[in-house]
Amino acid sequence: METIKSLALFCGSSEGADIRYQHAAREMGDLLHQHRVTMVYGGGNRGLMGIAAERLHAQGGRVIGVLPRILDRSDVRQKRVEEELIVVDTMHERKARMYEMSDGFVAMAGGVGTFEEILEVFTWLQLGLHTKAVALLNTAGFYDPLLTFLHHASKQGFIKGELLDALIVDDEPARLLDRIDRFSVHLGDKLS
Ligand code: AMP
């Protein structure tokens, strides 16, 4: 990849009910390795987070975990990435560190933690606080209901069309990464 050196990966601390989510997490780990992209993530060894991190780390890729002190327990820590583990005091500090270190943001399938993280960076894009890519990996149509809702909110006059157009959505990890690499946004004062 030409413009992207590191990506924040937000994804479930669970594995999900459909095996395709785990396959996607592995594929993401492989692709980040192929493209020499550093993965920045929440630092646990659970669920899809752990699967992607382990896969990348096992191949010699760079994985940076940012873990809040409350989750710094041996059962949560991703042991094999400890040398790249940053322990911070609060959840807010964790997010700030993850955002600073990343050139773009990807949400894979996940729960409320994942939604909160990706929607926050999407809000920041809206406010012009950054111009980094915000992307949903739509494995098995996982994000279709959210997209329906976002379009509903847009039709109802709460979300600008330009903002929704800026959200990268793809069900193919390789294509998603390619689109992130080519992303540039000039939303300017259209959204704020
Ligand atoms: P969820 O989607 O609700 O499973 O939450 C996953 C997201 O929230 C991840 O991207 C993490 O940043 C954070 N998170 C939630 N649970 C944990 C955990 N046990 N260890 C590390 N991070 C977690």
Side-chain angles (χ1 to χ4, degrees):
M1 293 174 87
E2 289 181 9
T3 60
I4 301 293
K5 301 285 169 247
S6 62
L7 274 183
L9 218 59
F10 306 132
C11 49
S13 55
S14 310
E15 293 182 352
D18 187 322
I19 193 78
R20 286 177 288 182
Y21 304 130
Q22 296 179 41
H23 289 158
R26 279 191 201 101
E27 192 175 348
M28 195 56 93
D30 290 346
L31 285 166
L32 295 184
H33 175 250
Q34 259 170 44
H35 291 292
R36 302 281 178 269
V37 173
T38 297
M39 169 176 161
V40 178
Y41 85 121
N45 57 2
R46 299 187 167 190
L48 298 184
M49 304 169 62
I51 290 175
E54 246 175 53
R55 185 76 170 203
L56 177 57
H57 190 256
Q59 299 175 74
R62 186 163 181 218
V63 180
I64 302 178
V66 187
L67 201 65
R69 211 167 292 285
I70 49 158
L71 290 176
D72 186 16
R73 311 185 311 254
S74 58
D75 57 325
V76 172
R77 265 176 183 236
Q78 168 55 278
K79 286 217 163 39
R80 273 166 279 182
V81 296
E82 272 181 8
E83 73 275 14
E84 296 265 2
L85 188 75
I86 300 171
V87 179
V88 294
D89 287 328
T90 64
M91 291 295 278
H92 287 105
E93 196 183 335
R94 168 208 235 173
K95 286 197 289 182
R97 292 294 292 274
M98 288 176 74
Y99 300 155
E100 278 161 26
M101 286 190 290
S102 310
D103 299 323
F105 311 100
V106 177
M108 304 196 302
V112 287
T114 303
F115 306 154
E116 187 264 342
E117 291 168 328
I118 199 73
L119 288 177
E120 181 170 48
V121 287
F122 196 37
T123 308
W124 290 3
L125 182 68
Q126 164 173 256
L127 295 173
L129 296 178
H130 69 78
T131 55
K132 301 173 184 179
V134 178
L136 301 178
L137 180 62
N138 196 19
T139 306
F142 179 77
Y143 280 110
D144 287 349
L146 177 65
L147 291 164
T148 300
F149 185 62
L150 291 174
H151 284 282
H152 167 70
S154 182
K155 274 199 201 104
Q156 293 303 312
F158 291 106
I159 299 179
K160 296 240 169 39
E162 289 90 342
L163 183 67
L164 279 192
D165 292 345
L167 181 65
I168 298 172
V169 182
D170 213 303
D171 59 1
E172 258 298 316
R175 209 164 46 212
L176 186 92
L177 292 182
D178 184 52
R179 289 175 59 189
I180 290 172
D181 203 34
R182 288 186 282 110
F183 178 80
S184 78
V185 72
H186 300 286
L187 297 174
D189 55 11
K190 275 189 217 145
L191 298 174
S192 48

